[in-house]
Amino acid sequence: MTIPPPLGLLAELTHRCPLRCPYCSNPLELARLAAELDTATWLRIFREAAELGVLQLHLSGGEPALRRDLPELIRGAAAAGLYTNLITSAVTLDAARVTALAEAGLDHVQISFQDADPSSADRIGGYAGGHAKKLIAAAAIRVAGLPLTLNAVVHRQNLERLPEMIELALALGARRMEVAHVQYYGWALANRDALLPTRAQLDAATATVDAARARLKGQLTIDYVVPDYHAARPKACMGGWARSVMVIAPSGRALPCHAAESLPGFDFPNARIQSLQDIWTNSEAFNRYRGTAWMTGPCAGCPNAEIDFGGCRCQAFALTGNASNTDPACALSPHHALLADALETATQPHFTYREPGRAPGG
Amino acid sequence: MSLTEASAPRLARGYRLRRDAARDRMVVLGPERVFEADETALAILALIDGERSVAEIIDALAAQYAAPRSEIAGDVLEMLADLAERGVIAP
Ligand code: SF4
Ligand code: SF4
């Protein structure tokens, strides 16, 4: 049986970031500057990805704009035929830099916003003046004619301002918006008690999105997914393990999911020394949870197995201690009650910022 | 914003039509999305360049497929309106 090639490559160019979001999806152990891949290696990876069948490249981090070679990386990716999408906090992007990226062939920019209210946004991101810098960057992106997606990461401490975040997307000229609920592993799991939304908040948010979608048809597309803690079925994490996306971490480690480094007992292959084709097709790590053959418990034989692929391996491990279990977000999981219990106890007002060398909760 | 036979649509910024060699098909790539372009969509998308009007596109396709103009016009307008609503083309 031949394995269909990935459609997307998520390149985490660096773990460095000026912000300190308490829900950051980077691993607890952040890669240092010295461990990062050099320009030539990234360019080789991009060419290999295009040959393998990847169509879209997502340049992410950390903060990818901290890489001085970013224009060169974009130029190389575009030359390889890849669609390039920059996923950025935008606090370091000024007009000159945006112009350089556009000229290098960048196709699309996604800026994450921590809130619509500047002081709350700066508090959540742990970076004074960050929100104002994002507004300047977004204006420069508009001037450069680059299409913009506004990514709003939502949780208990900002959900009530979702209507203002939608207004912000419109004001900045974004054509697309992602309303992304925090996913709880790594830093976010450690801060879960301070971030989990209430049922009432969630219902209000869903109603807000529904109304905005109807009102803004043809003007703003809104992507929105109900968060796991309030759902009865899990999401197909990454569209299924090793099915459509490959992630390359800053040090070259290849992962089927950006949180996979949280899983024990894996020897993830490294793109420094192994080809993407070989990693995708032959590595034990990519094959371990590919498809449905690995499933046990309620997933094995479930009619939804090919739809959600049993949910998220990282969430299964984080909450049940076994990555092979059904994601507890599924109501059929024997561990499903863990999510309801977490909602009950989520009343903490304070969170811990992500910082290199800092243990969450410490 | 609304699309008529006088409009001269183009692919919106951030969208690209290209060949997907690994899967032997044509695709439209956009922000976080990949659309497979079927034969009909491809015939229409190939003519969209920001200068040709919808009326000219319909004429060209009616000639190409030797079909009544009124029939082609309905299909083309419907598809373009759908693409415009999804933000893939700018009218
Ligand atoms: S989530 Fe926040 S801290 Fe983490 S990379 Fe993004 S902007 Fe930086
Ligand atoms: S039992 Fe497994 S496959 Fe079935 S819905 Fe739940 S997570 Fe999905």
Side-chain angles (χ1 to χ4, degrees):
Chain A
M1 198 192 79
T2 57
I3 294 163
L7 280 167
L9 184 79
L10 177 67
E12 295 182 339
L13 299 181
T14 179
H15 279 157
R16 292 171 290 137
C17 184
L19 272 66
R20 300 180 289 152
C21 306
Y23 47 73
C24 185
S25 63
N26 285 167
L28 302 180
E29 186 90 32
L30 296 165
R32 307 283 169 156
L33 174 59
E36 291 178 14
L37 297 181
D38 61 14
T39 312
T41 307
W42 275 121
L43 291 174
R44 180 198 25 97
I45 289 172
F46 298 162
R47 286 192 299 270
E48 284 185 11
E51 272 166 39
L52 183 58
V54 166
L55 300 175
Q56 294 188 312
L57 172 67
H58 307 282
L59 297 159
S60 164
E63 175 45 57
L66 291 182
R67 290 277 306 213
R68 276 195 217 105
D69 56 358
L70 186 58
E72 203 179 335
L73 294 177
I74 290 171
R75 200 169 293 117
L82 296 170
Y83 182 100
T84 52
N85 174 26
L86 181 68
I87 300 176
T88 177
S89 71
V91 297
T92 66
L93 289 179
D94 58 14
R97 186 99 168 131
V98 167
T99 308
L101 300 181
E103 280 169 3
L106 184 61
D107 286 299
H108 175 258
V109 184
Q110 173 178 315
I111 302 185
S112 60
F113 275 83
Q114 281 67 29
D115 202 328
D117 173 71
S119 62
S120 174
D122 289 353
R123 183 183 68 85
I124 293 166
Y127 182 76
H131 188 79
K133 289 184 176 166
K134 285 165 192 272
L135 298 180
I136 292 170
I141 285 161
R142 194 176 191 175
V143 169
L146 284 168
L148 174 68
T149 290
L150 186 148
N151 172 272
V153 181
V154 293
H155 45 79
R156 193 170 78 234
Q157 304 205 17
N158 66 5
L159 250 183
E160 68 211 58
R161 283 177 297 282
L162 180 56
E164 287 88 339
M165 290 189 249
I166 294 171
E167 289 310 312
L168 179 63
L170 288 171
L172 296 176
R175 293 295 313 262
R176 198 173 153 269
M177 175 173 188
E178 281 178 9
V179 178
H181 283 277
V182 168
Q183 298 204 281
Y184 294 97
Y185 33 65
W187 297 94
L189 184 60
N191 284 312
R192 190 174 64 175
D193 288 350
L195 299 173
L196 265 184
T198 64
R199 183 79 221 180
Q201 276 184 318
L202 180 75
D203 290 343
T206 306
T208 299
V209 169
D210 286 345
R213 273 180 177 160
R215 181 166 52 93
L216 303 170
K217 209 164 197 186
Q219 204 182 341
L220 183 71
T221 306
I222 304 178
D223 281 5
Y224 175 76
V225 183
V226 173
D228 285 337
Y229 280 70
H230 294 278
R233 289 289 180 271
K235 292 189 277 293
C237 182
M238 307 301 282
W241 183 273
R243 264 188 98 242
S244 59
V245 183
M246 183 190 274
V247 182
I248 306 289
S251 60
R253 207 174 289 179
L255 309 167
C257 152
H258 54 268
E261 280 177 296
S262 68
L263 299 174
F266 270 97
D267 185 13
F268 288 109
N270 198 301
R272 267 185 219 269
I273 52 168
Q274 221 175 322
S275 78
L276 262 51
Q277 162 80 54
D278 189 26
I279 290 170
W280 184 256
T281 313
N282 302 320
S283 70
E284 191 278 330
F286 278 70
N287 282 313
R288 192 181 302 187
Y289 296 122
R290 184 177 258 143
T292 56
W294 58 273
M295 292 177 172
T296 56
C299 291
C302 173
N304 273 10
E306 295 273 353
I307 298 169
D308 61 38
F309 295 92
C312 171
R313 297 305 88 226
C314 303
Q315 182 153 275
F317 172 72
L319 298 183
T320 76
N322 182 351
S324 305
N325 279 339
T326 295
D327 184 340
C330 181
L332 301 173
S333 156
H335 300 99
H336 187 60
L338 287 173
L339 278 72
D341 294 349
L343 287 172
E344 297 258 307
T345 56
T347 50
Q348 251 294 327
H350 304 295
F351 52 68
T352 311
Y353 288 117
R354 81 146 238 189
E355 273 160 23
R358 179 173 198 166
Chain B
M1 260 315 265
S2 91
L3 193 107
T4 66
E5 287 210 18
S7 319
R10 57 178 170 76
L11 272 185
R13 194 78 198 253
Y15 285 86
R16 284 209 266 149
L17 177 67
R18 56 154 279 202
R19 206 181 135 57
D20 174 3
R23 298 167 193 83
D24 192 24
R25 58 176 186 171
M26 292 295 289
V27 288
V28 176
L29 300 178
E32 299 288 338
R33 48 192 75 178
V34 177
F35 303 116
E36 178 163 357
D38 62 17
E39 212 182 314
T40 321
L42 205 56
I44 298 173
L45 288 170
L47 295 173
I48 284 176
D49 60 5
E51 287 180 14
R52 239 185 233 106
S53 70
V54 174
E56 287 169 313
I57 292 173
I58 294 168
D59 290 340
L61 290 171
Q64 190 180 328
Y65 291 104
R69 190 182 193 283
S70 56
E71 215 172 87
I72 298 276
D75 290 352
V76 170
L77 282 167
E78 193 183 321
M79 170 159 287
L80 290 177
D82 175 55
L83 290 172
E85 190 173 289
R86 289 196 279 170
V88 179
I89 59 165

